[in-house]
């Protein structure tokens, strides 16, 4: 299983996922379809499916166009998310496959939008699994609570996604890592892992390289939203429960001017 980053718009990522034995491909959130098709051609990949994480235009806005350009392509999206161009609706636990070796599990991760789906992919035994989290989980951050509650985001991040195997690679929808880590430092100034990741991320960006993927294991060490379970993080934000802490951290981030 091979994953190729495709930078789109100002700070979005689409991803091309390739089953290497069959050269069949899936594309996650192809907001700029022509770019995606170009990368597929360069890699001799036959595009089979679109995996849409949520309905916002910067993720689903290319679906209609890619259907025109790639006749017969299937477009998957959350059953309650009203995804533009969707041909096949998915719910939590639905399974899809790509090529010979890739299995795709749909995970309902609501809050940013009410029908947001994250896609968990496994390949051959030697492949690390991958999860495409759209705007639910970012490196060291999470999406704004546009259509949901802190309870839902807690469930999405700290229950659903946190329970995936720790080596799972996290591919998110935007390049927000540096800002997220700068904010994370204000929550946990003495967390050395955050400082280390921040200097690495700054170097990556200065070299014009992505900071993605991270891993679920790493997020549990550096992401304040996924660490809301920890008493020391709750104490920092003067809260008594994980959900309360998550809500407070999101409010702080919304008002933070880093």
């Amino acid at each position: 299983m091979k994953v190729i980053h495709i930078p789109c718009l100002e700070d979005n990522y689409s991803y091309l996922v390739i089953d290497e034995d069959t050269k069949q491909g899936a594309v996650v959130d192809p907001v700029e379809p022509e770019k995606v098709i170009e990368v597929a051609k360069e890699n001799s990949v036959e595009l089979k499916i679109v995996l849409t994480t949520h309905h916002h235009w910067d993720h689903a806005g290319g679906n209609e166009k890619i259907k025109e350009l790639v006749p017969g392509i299937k477009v998957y999206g959350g059953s309650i998310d009203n995804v533009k161009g969707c041909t096949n609706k998915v719910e939590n636990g639905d399974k899809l496959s790509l090529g010979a070796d890739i299995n795709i599990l749909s995970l309902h991760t609501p809050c940013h939008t009410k029908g947001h789906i994250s896609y968990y992919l496994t390949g051959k035994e030697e492949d690390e699994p991958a999860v495409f989290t759209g705007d639910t989980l970012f490196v060291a951050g999470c999406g704004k609570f546009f259509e949901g509650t802190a309870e839902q985001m807690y469930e999405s991040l700290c229950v659903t996604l946190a329970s995936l195997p720790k080596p799972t690679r996290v591919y998110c929808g935007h390049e927000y890592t540096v800002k997220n880590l700068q904010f994370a430092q204000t929550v946990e100034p003495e967390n050395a892992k955050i400082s280390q990741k921040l200097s690495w991320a700054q170097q990556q960006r200065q070299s014009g390289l992505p900071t993605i993927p991270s891993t679920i294991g790493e997020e549990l060490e550096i992401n304040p939203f996924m660490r809301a379970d920890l008493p020391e993080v709750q104490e920092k934000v003067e809260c008594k429960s994980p959900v309360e802490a998550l809500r407070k951290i999101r409010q702080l981030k919304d008002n933070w001017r880093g």
Side-chain angles (χ1 to χ4, degrees), residues 121-187:
L121 276 62
T122 50
K124 291 181 174 172
E125 232 171 293
E126 65 270 19
D127 292 336
E128 298 289 13
V131 65
F132 295 86
T133 57
D135 288 1
T136 292
L137 170 62
F138 295 122
V139 180
C142 72
K144 290 187 175 180
F145 301 0
F146 287 135
E147 297 180 17
T149 62
E151 284 79 4
Q152 283 179 312
M153 190 57 96
Y154 176 78
E155 190 75 20
S156 293
L157 293 180
C158 304
V159 180
T160 305
L161 294 171
S163 66
L164 296 175
K166 287 198 167 107
T168 304
R169 290 170 296 158
V170 175
Y171 292 93
C172 57
H174 292 268
E175 183 58 74
Y176 291 162
T177 306
V178 168
K179 282 268 182 256
N180 285 347
L181 287 161
Q182 286 168 341
F183 170 75
Q185 278 191 319
T186 69
V187 180

Side-chain angles (χ1 to χ4, degrees), residues 154 158 187-188 190 223-249 252:
Y154 176 78
C158 304
V187 180
E188 290 189 273
E190 69 304 313
N223 190 322
F225 299 96
M226 286 188 88
R227 293 168 62 75
D229 270 337
L230 300 172
E232 62 267 32
V233 173
Q234 291 168 27
E235 205 177 300
K236 289 264 186 242
V237 292
E238 298 171 346
C239 291
K240 295 277 189 289
S241 76
V243 171
E244 199 191 336
L246 188 69
R247 185 183 290 115
K248 179 72 179 288
I249 295 166
L252 290 168

Side-chain angles (χ1 to χ4, degrees), residues 1-2 16-27 45-51 76 95-104 121-123:
M1 175 167 69
K2 182 178 179 184
L16 176 62
V17 182
I18 305 168
D19 177 71
E20 295 185 272
D21 286 350
T22 61
K23 288 293 195 182
Q24 290 187 357
V27 59
V45 168
E46 181 192 4
L47 288 175
K48 288 295 212 185
I49 58 179
V50 170
L51 301 173
Y76 292 88
K95 291 176 179 167
L96 320 166
S97 64
L98 174 71
D101 295 304
I102 297 177
N103 291 302
I104 303 166
L121 276 62
T122 50

Side-chain angles (χ1 to χ4, degrees), residues 1-8 12-20 23-30 32 35-47 98 102 121 130 132 169-173 210 212-213:
M1 175 167 69
K2 182 178 179 184
V3 179
I4 298 176
H5 302 64
I6 305 170
C8 295
N12 279 69
Y13 286 114
S14 298
Y15 298 100
L16 176 62
V17 182
I18 305 168
D19 177 71
E20 295 185 272
K23 288 293 195 182
Q24 290 187 357
V27 59
V28 182
D29 293 346
E32 294 190 59
K35 258 191 197 178
V36 168
I37 288 166
E38 192 54 42
V39 175
K41 275 190 188 145
E42 285 164 11
N43 289 273
S44 311
V45 168
E46 181 192 4
L47 288 175
L98 174 71
I102 297 177
L121 276 62
F132 295 86
R169 290 170 296 158
V170 175
Y171 292 93
C172 57
I212 290 153

